[in-house]
Amino acid sequence: MQRRMEALRQWTTQLLLRLAIMAKPNHRNQEVDYTITSLPDEVLAIIRTTWYKDDRADNVDEVVLMEDGQRGYDAFDAIVSAGVVGGANVSIQSAYNPQDLGIEP
């Protein structure tokens, strides 16, 4: 399990770096916010993605991601990556440290 977490962490970091390089420039500063908070044991994270159109907030999606082994970590990575690539602001709440989910400061 520890080896899988480390591999996921490295893969996510590399992906986020590649995506940041490829991201389209815009007039606003894109934000990724991470808050460590108490959540029920069965919840991996709550992810809010704010989508923008013409530099104005257009839509907000919220996903409550349940603990589901590797599938939960894969879903976390997919949701956060889609938001970052799409230019959205991403707000994450989890009981885990960000490094445990592949997010480096």
Side-chain angles (χ1 to χ4, degrees):
M1 180 67 161
Q2 189 74 342
R3 189 178 310 152
R4 286 167 93 183
M5 288 297 296
E6 181 60 31
L8 175 63
R9 193 173 311 126
Q10 290 174 357
W11 182 84
T12 303
T13 300
Q14 291 171 357
L15 177 64
L16 288 175
L17 288 174
R18 279 184 279 163
L19 296 176
I21 291 169
M22 295 172 17
K24 296 184 241 176
N26 55 36
H27 294 86
R28 62 176 190 79
N29 292 326
Q30 185 177 17
E31 299 175 9
V32 177
D33 176 57
Y34 195 101
T35 303
I36 299 173
T37 188
S38 288
L39 294 173
D41 290 341
E42 65 274 7
V43 175
L44 176 64
I46 300 171
I47 305 170
R48 287 189 191 101
T49 309
T50 305
W51 300 97
Y52 289 81
K53 183 175 184 179
D54 299 325
D55 290 333
R56 299 180 125 182
D58 183 54
N59 191 32
V60 178
D61 295 324
E62 180 177 287
V63 176
V64 178
L65 197 55
M66 307 307 280
E67 286 280 1
D68 193 18
Q70 189 60 44
R71 290 188 323 179
Y73 297 113
D74 292 345
F76 176 88
D77 182 57
I79 294 166
V80 172
S81 296
V84 170
V85 169
N89 285 357
V90 181
S91 177
I92 304 160
Q93 296 180 13
S94 180
Y96 292 97
N97 288 317
Q99 295 84 355
D100 294 338
L101 295 174
I103 297 178
E104 300 295 326

